[in-house]
Amino acid sequence: MAFVPTPSPTVVDQTTLMKKYLQFVAALTDANTREFTGLTLSVQNVTSSPQYSTFLEHIIPRFLTFLQDGEVQFLQEKPTQQLRKLVLEIIHRIPTNEHLRPHTKNILSVMFRFLEIESEENVLICLRIIIELHKQFRPPISQEIHHFLDFVKQIYKDLPKVVARYFENPQVIAENTVPSPEMVGMITSVLVKTAPEREDSETRTHTIIPRGSLSLKVLAELPIIVVLMYQLYKLNIHNVVSEFVPLIMNTIVLQVSPQARHHKLFNKELYADFIAAQIKTLSFLAYIIRIYQDLVGKYSQQLVKGMLQLLSNCPSETAHLRKELLIAAKHILTTDLRSQFIPCMDKLFDESILIGSGYTARETLRPLAYSTLADLVHHVRQNLPLTDLSLAVQLFAKNIDDESLPSNIQTMSCKLLLNLVDCIRSKSEQENGNGRDILMRMLEVFVLKFHTIARYQLVSIFKKPASCPCSPTSWSACVPAATSRPGTPSWAASCPSSF
């Protein structure tokens, strides 16, 4: 049977659809959630209608009125909460074209206000709306932007208390009670008996949503918005953003005590949210570090301490967070602040700290980790003591013969070791150390690598001359080019793909 494409809605159909949707919106407070879900999924059908602008003029004010007049809910099962979330999702899904531009100011005003009062679920949607509208329309700076930045700063200031509440002093939820949103750090379900005095009483599940301003998931999303605001309003908020630097430093050095991590009420998932918020905050610092490098330098000890703590504390099962942490570290270590890490190099050479113990992290992040560390060692090698140089040789010599690593990482390790030779010699003389033993160990590694190449790779290379970029008929042309450099084999001199 031939495929018959579904015709697009006609003008009459679109007009009918819009009338139907407007009826939904007009009866918003009485409409049930299921009917409103239909509006959520199909509202985009009318975006091409000539009356689309008029449609938005009707629905946007009613949506905002409903959201502002309604009561904030923190129970997921409440129809009001489900309806509020659906309305926010509809606003987020409305295409950000010129038809929406006249409504941007009013929408943003409500979204900014909701960040302080709404539940975690709804605040996360509000943040996505704020990002999308600012990216698309670049509205002029307003007092709400300054208020938002002050709000974010206050969240960072209150974070130590929040961490203590969630981890150091977790509260036990009493039986048959629904905890307040301030008590839970993440979405939590509890069973409550409808008639506690009866043993066979029916139980109901209540799912509590934390308050957005106390949510670690929300905190993890805030730095990217501050970065966006800085990109849009750099001249207006330059001094305001500089006030984040000490707050960032205080945030990344925060950690949960070992006693709390071994407590029976310790929540691993919530702890992962906390580490994610810290790493996102460090990524924010990596973005602004060159702009405020002198100011960041005043807190360099906190920066070093915080980064090492995050490398040590990042959960083994969250490889994506460690990857983001290593990327942020790579950016930070390209600045002059890398010299502040010299006293702690022995910790960075510890693979259990640098890469962690997770299987996924070890399988996927070693190239990134080794390249980041190699770049740091290369720039500070003149200032490293012989003990650290020995650790560097031990780590990167191991990589040279590790077939599980990409060839470019093996090549990088070879180059780094060669760059360390003079440093090892000079430091050995200064410290009267065992530099000769280190150099002999390094030489042995290179000899063994050449042995491996000769035994397993040269044979296949010479058996398959067609793999050379030169044509088989001009294979002999490779020889003169090689003989022009004494000691260089023909396959190495003129065949870049030999390795």
Side-chain angles (χ1 to χ4, degrees), residues 54-311:
T54 307
F55 174 68
L56 290 182
E57 289 176 3
H58 279 84
I59 69 167
I60 296 297
R62 286 172 171 77
F63 281 165
L64 298 181
T65 299
F66 166 75
L67 291 171
Q68 293 180 91
D69 292 348
E71 183 181 352
V72 177
Q73 298 290 335
F74 296 96
L75 287 179
Q76 208 171 52
E77 294 80 12
K78 288 276 188 179
T80 307
Q81 160 58 17
Q82 297 174 13
L83 196 54
R84 292 176 70 83
K85 182 180 177 182
L86 283 171
V87 171
L88 289 170
E89 287 178 345
I90 292 173
I91 295 175
H92 180 234
R93 294 183 188 187
I94 293 176
T96 51
N97 51 31
E98 289 302 312
H99 297 292
L100 188 63
R101 185 184 290 274
H103 309 283
T104 302
K105 182 178 179 181
N106 292 335
I107 294 175
L108 287 174
S109 178
V110 175
M111 296 303 108
F112 277 125
R113 190 165 68 84
F114 278 8
L115 297 183
E116 303 182 31
I117 62 174
E118 266 288 357
S119 65
E120 176 189 272
E121 277 190 339
N122 293 353
V123 167
L124 291 174
I125 303 174
C126 292
L127 290 175
R128 293 199 292 269
I129 294 172
I130 291 171
I131 292 173
E132 190 65 30
L133 293 182
H134 276 87
K135 280 183 177 179
Q136 186 67 28
F137 299 120
R138 297 176 176 266
I141 191 167
S142 63
Q143 187 59 36
E144 290 166 343
I145 302 295
H146 290 282
H147 183 74
F148 166 72
L149 294 175
D150 290 338
F151 168 67
V152 177
K153 284 190 287 186
Q154 190 59 47
I155 288 181
Y156 278 118
K157 290 176 183 177
D158 294 339
L159 184 59
K161 298 178 183 177
V162 174
V163 171
R165 179 189 303 167
Y166 292 157
F167 299 107
E168 304 296 339
N169 303 301
Q171 298 183 27
V172 179
I173 300 174
E175 190 177 356
N176 288 322
T177 60
V178 178
S180 67
E182 289 77 17
M183 282 183 62
V184 295
M186 57 187 302
I187 296 177
T188 304
S189 296
V190 294
L191 292 175
V192 178
K193 291 183 178 181
T194 54
E197 65 279 0
R198 293 173 51 190
E199 292 186 2
D200 59 344
S201 173
E202 179 186 356
T203 59
R204 293 182 181 177
T205 301
H206 294 282
T207 306
I208 302 92
I209 312 171
R211 189 177 294 277
S213 58
L214 300 176
S215 166
L216 297 174
K217 285 185 182 295
V218 169
L219 178 59
E221 300 299 324
L222 292 177
I224 191 173
I225 303 186
V226 178
V227 169
L228 177 61
M229 297 303 176
Y230 185 82
Q231 292 172 340
L232 295 177
Y233 313 112
K234 185 182 302 183
L235 298 178
N236 303 92
I237 63 174
H238 180 82
N239 293 333
V240 177
V241 174
S242 67
E243 297 172 5
F244 279 91
V245 172
L247 298 174
I248 291 172
M249 298 304 178
N250 292 335
T251 297
I252 62 175
V253 298
L254 271 179
Q255 62 176 338
V256 178
S257 67
Q259 295 83 358
R261 293 178 65 177
H262 290 91
H263 196 276
K264 62 179 180 180
L265 294 178
F266 178 69
N267 189 324
K268 283 188 175 181
E269 189 176 347
L270 184 60
Y271 182 71
D273 290 341
F274 170 57
I275 296 295
Q278 288 184 300
I279 292 175
K280 296 284 186 182
T281 303
L282 185 68
S283 299
F284 173 35
L285 178 68
Y287 174 81
I288 65 173
I289 191 167
R290 291 190 180 276
I291 304 169
Y292 302 100
Q293 188 163 332
D294 292 339
L295 178 58
V296 174
K298 297 178 181 178
Y299 301 92
S300 58
Q301 296 304 312
Q302 284 180 281
L303 174 61
V304 174
K305 179 182 177 183
M307 284 180 58
L308 290 175
Q309 283 182 184
L310 286 174
L311 285 169

Side-chain angles (χ1 to χ4, degrees), residues 210-428:
R211 189 177 294 277
S213 58
L214 300 176
S215 166
L216 297 174
K217 285 185 182 295
V218 169
L219 178 59
E221 300 299 324
L222 292 177
I224 191 173
I225 303 186
V226 178
V227 169
L228 177 61
M229 297 303 176
Y230 185 82
Q231 292 172 340
L232 295 177
Y233 313 112
K234 185 182 302 183
L235 298 178
N236 303 92
I237 63 174
H238 180 82
N239 293 333
V240 177
V241 174
S242 67
E243 297 172 5
F244 279 91
V245 172
L247 298 174
I248 291 172
M249 298 304 178
N250 292 335
T251 297
I252 62 175
V253 298
L254 271 179
Q255 62 176 338
V256 178
S257 67
Q259 295 83 358
R261 293 178 65 177
H262 290 91
H263 196 276
K264 62 179 180 180
L265 294 178
F266 178 69
N267 189 324
K268 283 188 175 181
E269 189 176 347
L270 184 60
Y271 182 71
D273 290 341
F274 170 57
I275 296 295
Q278 288 184 300
I279 292 175
K280 296 284 186 182
T281 303
L282 185 68
S283 299
F284 173 35
L285 178 68
Y287 174 81
I288 65 173
I289 191 167
R290 291 190 180 276
I291 304 169
Y292 302 100
Q293 188 163 332
D294 292 339
L295 178 58
V296 174
K298 297 178 181 178
Y299 301 92
S300 58
Q301 296 304 312
Q302 284 180 281
L303 174 61
V304 174
K305 179 182 177 183
M307 284 180 58
L308 290 175
Q309 283 182 184
L310 286 174
L311 285 169
S312 300
N313 296 336
C314 186
S316 59
E317 62 272 14
T318 55
H320 64 289
L321 293 180
R322 186 172 290 272
K323 180 180 180 180
E324 189 167 350
L325 173 57
L326 289 171
I327 292 172
K330 193 176 186 72
H331 283 86
I332 292 171
L333 294 174
T334 59
T335 69
D336 294 338
L337 291 170
R338 57 182 165 232
S339 60
Q340 300 297 322
F341 289 82
I342 293 175
C344 306
M345 289 299 294
D346 59 323
K347 294 183 175 62
L348 292 175
F349 287 128
D350 185 347
E351 292 184 89
S352 65
I353 295 177
L354 181 66
I355 304 172
S357 58
Y359 175 81
T360 304
R362 295 196 64 81
E363 288 297 309
T364 61
L365 299 184
R366 284 194 301 156
L368 174 60
Y370 291 144
S371 62
T372 301
L373 182 58
D375 187 58
L376 173 61
V377 173
H378 173 74
H379 284 92
V380 301
R381 64 187 187 279
Q382 300 290 349
N383 300 313
L384 293 179
L386 190 61
T387 52
D388 286 347
L389 292 172
S390 176
L391 290 173
V393 171
Q394 181 179 347
L395 176 62
F396 289 98
K398 184 174 59 177
N399 294 343
I400 292 177
D401 237 358
D402 190 344
E403 295 300 327
S404 65
L405 291 172
S407 58
N408 65 313
I409 299 298
Q410 297 181 40
T411 304
M412 176 205 71
S413 300
C414 291
K415 291 180 178 179
L416 178 64
L417 291 180
L418 293 175
N419 287 334
L420 295 180
V421 171
D422 286 339
C423 299
I424 294 172
R425 180 190 57 80
S426 61
K427 289 294 181 180
S428 180

Side-chain angles (χ1 to χ4, degrees), residues 7-15:
S8 58
T10 63
V11 175
V12 177
D13 293 336
Q14 290 175 339
T15 304

